[in-house]
């Protein structure tokens, strides 16, 4: 009686496993209690030297520290090599800075709305309202993400510790270098875009004052006060003017521009960190292509692959709102900039800024999409090698790993409405072209009007 009972139990376990593989779940893993959380595998082992390991926390913390100067990700202990030191607290200096910037951004949003209601809202001047609105939403999304970040980064570190030792190998360009290079490129281009905007605004202001003064036969007088009142009239219609207020206005506007760019930068850095680990799994599979491999090796590889998929699910559940906001923001601003392609501009510097801004925006959007799509590409790159496994090494674990790579969507998403893959990028490009043709038809009367009078 004992033998048949065991056989039936094994059969039920086998059927349960097949049902699980056929319908993979996307559950978010439950984390251990933070108070007793340890990253070491064996209790007798010493805690690793985090500063010497190729960890995502080590690669990303300089940019997160920079973001805190602009009130993004209000965390404590972000500079510590040990991720256990990272924590979130409402009663902290970073949170006070964040609340201050939120209040300032909300004031500019209200001032912009009041100004547009007075002069009338159209497709062209609505962009300022969208800009401040997206930045304000981004602040709240980053606060929500910061609350979950201590849990997330500890779980992330525990998952990727195994990839810092044999049999996994470090690629020629490690994670730190990849994140640093991409981050510095995005920040450098965004600084150039903001600087070009300021240069264009200043030169346009000076040239207008000179020409209008000459036409009225008066002496041209330029001042910082006049420049601030001219370019930020929506704010000074509501706020009293003084030099300190004008300087703060420029600072807040610059901080909003940083947050507007940092949304994409943060998604790009997270994507780099996740795709890097899938790349290491693919490299290990490729290394075993012409060897006779035991089943225990494939069990270990599959276990690490499943751990990375669970980490991806937890990351996606934490920042899918940010991804959705970023995609909506990029879609709107790309359409808006393309709508102005055929508009006439007054000075050469305006053309230089416009085309730099347009190409930067399109390039940044495409770069973020392609970086995020690398997660999906890397997760499936080992399929061809696994399908060529010899009959001597073939086992049920190989079949399970192939089935999981084939059926499971391994990618970041925007609240599960869509997944960031290469196919989505081309679909988004087609959508932009379609909407742009419609918008150009509606904007035809405005483009025929030409430039407004310079001295009006």
């Amino acid at each position: 009686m004992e033998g048949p009972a065991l056989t039936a139990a094994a059969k039920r376990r086998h059927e349960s496993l097949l049902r699980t593989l056929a319908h993979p779940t996307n559950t978010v893993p439950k984390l251990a209690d933070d108070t007793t959380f340890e990253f070491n595998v064996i209790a007798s082992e010493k805690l690793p030297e985090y500063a010497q390991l190729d960890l995502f926390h080590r690669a990303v913390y300089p940019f997160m520290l920079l973001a805190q100067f602009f009130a993004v990700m209000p965390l404590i202990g972000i500079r510590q090599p040990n991720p256990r030191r990272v924590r979130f607290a409402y009663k902290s200096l970073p949170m006070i800075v964040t609340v201050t910037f939120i209040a300032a951004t909300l004031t500019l949003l209200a001032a912009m709305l009041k100004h547009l209601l007075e002069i009338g809202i159209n497709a062209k001047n609505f962009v300022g309202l969208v800009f401040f609105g997206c930045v304000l939403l981004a602040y709240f999304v980053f606060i929500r993400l910061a609350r979950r970040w201590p849990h997330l980064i500890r779980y992330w570190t525990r998952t990727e510790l195994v990839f810092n030792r044999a049999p996994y190998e470090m690629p020629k360009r490690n994670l730190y270098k990849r994140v640093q290079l991409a981050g510095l490129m995005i920040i450098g281009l965004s600084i150039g875009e903001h600087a070009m905007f300021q240069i264009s605004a200043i030169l346009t202001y000076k040239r207008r004052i000179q020409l209008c003064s000459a036409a009225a036969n008066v002496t041209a007088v330029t001042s910082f006060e006049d420049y601030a009142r001219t370019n930020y009239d929506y704010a000074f219609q509501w706020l009293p003017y003084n030099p300190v207020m004008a300087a703060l206005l420029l600072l807040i506007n610059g901080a909003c521009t940083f947050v507007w760019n940092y949304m994409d930068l943060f998604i790009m850095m997270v994507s780099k960190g996740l795709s890097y680990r899938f790349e290491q799994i693919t490299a290990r599979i490729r290394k075993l292509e012409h060897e006779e491999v035991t089943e225990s090796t494939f069990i270990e590889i599959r276990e690490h692959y499943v751990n990375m998929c669970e980490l991806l699910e937890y990351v996606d559940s934490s920042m899918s709102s940010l991804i959705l906001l970023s995609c909506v923001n990029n879609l709107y601003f790309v359409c808006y900039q393309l709508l102005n392609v055929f508009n006439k501009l007054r000075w050469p510097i305006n053309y230089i800024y416009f085309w730099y801004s347009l190409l930067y925006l399109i390039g940044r959007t495409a770069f973020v999409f392609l970086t995020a799509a690398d997660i999906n590409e890397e997760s499936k790159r080992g399929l061809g090698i696994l399908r060529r496994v010899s009959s001597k090494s073939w086992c049920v674990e190989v079949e399970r790993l192939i089935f999981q790579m084939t059926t499971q969507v391994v990618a970041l998403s925007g609240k599960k409405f869509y997944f960031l893959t290469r196919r989505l990028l081309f679909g988004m490009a087609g959508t932009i072209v379609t909407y742009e043709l419609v918008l150009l038809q509606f904007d035809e009367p405005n483009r025929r009007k030409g430039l407004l009078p310079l001295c009006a």
Side-chain angles (χ1 to χ4, degrees):
M1 297 296 293
E2 189 174 352
L6 291 175
T7 303
K11 185 177 180 180
R12 287 194 298 270
R13 287 196 300 269
H14 180 68
E15 292 176 351
S16 176
L17 177 61
L18 289 179
R19 286 194 300 269
T20 302
L21 288 174
H23 303 283
T25 57
N26 292 327
T27 56
V28 176
K30 293 183 179 180
L31 302 183
D33 183 12
D34 294 329
T35 58
T36 60
F37 187 79
E38 293 289 350
F39 296 135
N40 49 321
V41 180
I42 304 175
S44 60
E45 290 181 351
K46 295 181 179 179
L47 287 174
E49 293 290 339
Y50 298 107
Q52 307 301 323
L53 298 178
D54 192 26
L55 301 176
F56 178 73
H57 174 69
R58 175 174 171 264
V60 79
Y61 94 86
F63 297 101
M64 295 184 66
L65 185 63
L66 174 64
Q68 288 190 334
F69 288 98
F70 297 94
V72 179
M73 294 295 283
L75 293 166
I76 302 172
I78 199 68
R79 296 181 60 184
Q80 298 294 327
N82 188 343
R84 293 190 66 197
R85 306 293 185 185
V86 179
R87 60 189 181 90
F88 173 83
Y90 282 107
K91 296 180 180 180
S92 62
L93 180 60
M95 193 63 191
I96 294 174
V97 175
T98 299
V99 172
T100 303
F101 274 78
I102 288 176
T105 306
L106 183 60
T107 301
L108 292 182
L109 176 65
M112 174 66 73
L113 179 60
K114 180 177 180 295
H115 176 67
L116 293 181
L117 291 176
E118 291 177 354
I119 66 174
I121 300 176
N122 56 50
K124 294 294 180 66
N125 61 20
F126 188 68
V127 62
L129 203 62
V130 175
F131 174 76
F132 288 118
C134 286
V135 170
L136 191 63
L137 288 175
Y139 274 124
F140 289 107
V141 170
F142 274 117
I143 290 176
R144 177 178 177 271
L145 180 58
R147 290 178 56 195
R148 306 186 68 174
W149 190 257
H151 303 266
L152 190 151
I153 197 61
R154 293 168 193 174
Y155 176 57
W156 193 323
T157 303
R158 184 181 65 178
T159 303
E160 65 180 348
L161 277 178
V162 68
F163 296 98
N164 280 266
R165 54 177 179 262
Y168 290 102
E169 297 179 352
M170 295 298 161
K172 294 181 180 179
R173 288 176 56 233
N174 60 18
L175 179 59
Y176 181 83
K177 291 181 180 179
R178 295 185 186 192
V179 172
Q180 293 291 310
L181 179 62
L184 291 175
M185 182 181 69
I186 294 294
I187 289 178
L189 291 174
S190 63
I191 291 175
E193 193 270 344
H194 188 64
M196 192 70 68
F197 166 76
Q198 294 295 343
I199 292 173
S200 176
I202 293 172
L203 293 181
T204 299
Y205 163 73
K206 288 186 175 181
R207 187 62 175 164
R208 184 182 65 82
I209 291 297
Q210 292 173 357
L211 292 178
C212 293
S213 299
N217 197 22
V218 296
T219 304
V221 178
T222 60
S223 65
F224 177 70
E225 178 180 353
D226 187 43
Y227 166 77
R229 288 183 179 277
T230 302
N231 288 275
Y232 300 98
D233 54 340
Y234 64 91
F236 290 114
Q237 288 178 0
W238 195 11
L239 301 173
Y241 175 84
N242 60 70
V244 176
M245 182 66 71
L248 288 176
L249 184 61
L250 292 174
L251 175 63
I252 298 300
N253 190 63
C256 290
T257 304
F258 177 86
V259 176
W260 184 70
N261 287 280
Y262 191 76
M263 286 190 291
D264 287 347
L265 174 59
F266 191 83
I267 296 171
M268 179 272 300
M269 292 189 297
V270 169
S271 302
K272 287 278 185 183
L274 293 171
S275 63
Y276 180 77
R277 300 307 176 190
F278 283 109
E279 181 182 339
Q280 286 184 286
I281 295 176
T282 303
R284 183 180 179 184
I285 295 174
R286 187 179 292 112
K287 190 177 179 181
L288 302 174
E289 182 175 7
H290 303 293
E291 298 180 7
E292 187 173 338
V293 187
T294 61
E295 185 176 6
S296 61
T297 301
F298 284 115
I299 291 176
E300 185 180 68
I301 293 175
R302 182 171 172 270
E303 179 185 356
H304 296 163
Y305 184 87
V306 170
N307 290 340
M308 282 303 305
C309 291
E310 290 177 345
L311 172 63
L312 174 65
E313 286 296 322
Y314 186 57
V315 171
D316 184 63
S317 67
S318 300
M319 54 181 297
S320 57
S321 299
L322 179 65
I323 294 173
L324 180 62
L325 177 62
S326 173
C327 291
V328 171
N329 171 77
N330 288 335
L331 180 63
Y332 172 81
F333 278 96
V334 168
C335 289
Y336 171 78
Q337 288 286 64
L338 289 175
L339 184 63
N340 296 320
V341 165
F342 301 104
N343 287 357
K344 293 182 180 180
L345 302 176
R346 199 175 298 275
W347 318 113
I349 186 64
N350 303 139
Y351 281 101
I352 295 173
Y353 164 69
F354 171 77
W355 284 105
Y356 180 91
S357 177
L358 174 61
L359 295 177
Y360 164 70
L361 180 60
I362 295 175
R364 187 191 70 189
T365 304
F367 182 60
V368 173
F369 265 87
L370 292 175
T371 303
D374 279 342
I375 300 174
N376 184 257
E377 296 294 319
E378 287 294 342
S379 68
K380 300 180 183 298
R381 200 152 283 171
L383 267 175
I385 301 171
L386 290 173
R387 286 168 176 162
R388 295 193 299 269
V389 171
S390 63
S391 58
K392 295 181 180 180
S393 301
W394 187 267
C395 60
V396 66
E397 286 299 321
V398 176
E399 187 173 356
R400 289 169 178 169
L401 188 53
I402 291 175
F403 183 81
Q404 188 167 7
M405 287 184 176
T406 306
T407 58
Q408 187 172 357
V409 180
V410 183
L412 294 173
S413 71
K415 303 296 287 187
K416 300 299 181 182
F417 292 121
Y418 56 88
F419 293 91
L420 298 183
T421 61
R422 293 181 185 272
R423 181 178 299 179
L424 178 66
L425 176 61
F426 293 110
M428 183 177 178
T431 303
I432 289 175
V433 172
T434 302
Y435 279 107
E436 200 60 35
L437 292 175
V438 176
L439 290 174
L440 286 173
Q441 293 179 353
F442 280 104
D443 195 54
E444 180 67 24
N446 292 328
R447 287 188 284 114
R448 288 179 179 176
K449 293 179 181 178
L451 295 172
L452 295 175
L454 180 63
C455 304

